[in-house]
Amino acid sequence: MEPMLCPNCKTNRTRFNLIEQRARAVKLHPQTGEIEHEYSNDTLDPFHLPYRGPDYRVQCAACGLIEQPEMFIKHAQHFQK
Ligand SMILES: [Zn+2]
């Protein structure tokens, strides 16, 4: 982890919720919405794009803002004590 500062309330540097984003690759039945198949990362079929988003997002536990970790990290770097 790196130092983080909330860009919204601008005071919180210590209390955060880390929201892990683990993608599940699934194939749904087009009519019922049922999961027909769940892929592991190395068994994706060629037409299925793997998730490339961030691993986690951050919620400020003081004001509730949810953002990418970069937002909090950049703010901490900009307003270093
Ligand atoms: Zn905040």
Side-chain angles (χ1 to χ4, degrees), residues 7 12-13 17 20 25-26 29 41-42 48 60 63 71 80:
N12 177 32
R13 294 175 185 266
N17 295 316
E20 293 189 347
V26 296
H29 185 282
N41 261 344
D42 19 76
H48 197 119
C60 169
C63 75
M71 291 286 293
Q80 265 171 1

Side-chain angles (χ1 to χ4, degrees), residues 64-80:
L65 177 78
I66 300 178
E67 265 299 346
Q68 310 295 347
E70 291 73 30
M71 291 286 293
F72 290 84
I73 293 167
K74 275 188 194 144
H75 218 71
Q77 288 166 351
H78 200 252
F79 292 97
Q80 265 171 1

Side-chain angles (χ1 to χ4, degrees), residues 19-38:
I19 307 154
E20 293 189 347
Q21 305 194 122
R22 278 201 298 126
R24 291 168 65 195
V26 296
K27 186 174 192 177
L28 297 188
H29 185 282
Q31 273 79 45
T32 66
E34 251 182 290
I35 294 177
E36 290 193 316
H37 189 72
E38 184 156 354

Side-chain angles (χ1 to χ4, degrees), residues 37-50:
H37 189 72
E38 184 156 354
Y39 303 95
S40 72
N41 261 344
D42 19 76
T43 60
L44 281 181
D45 74 45
F47 301 107
H48 197 119
L49 287 176

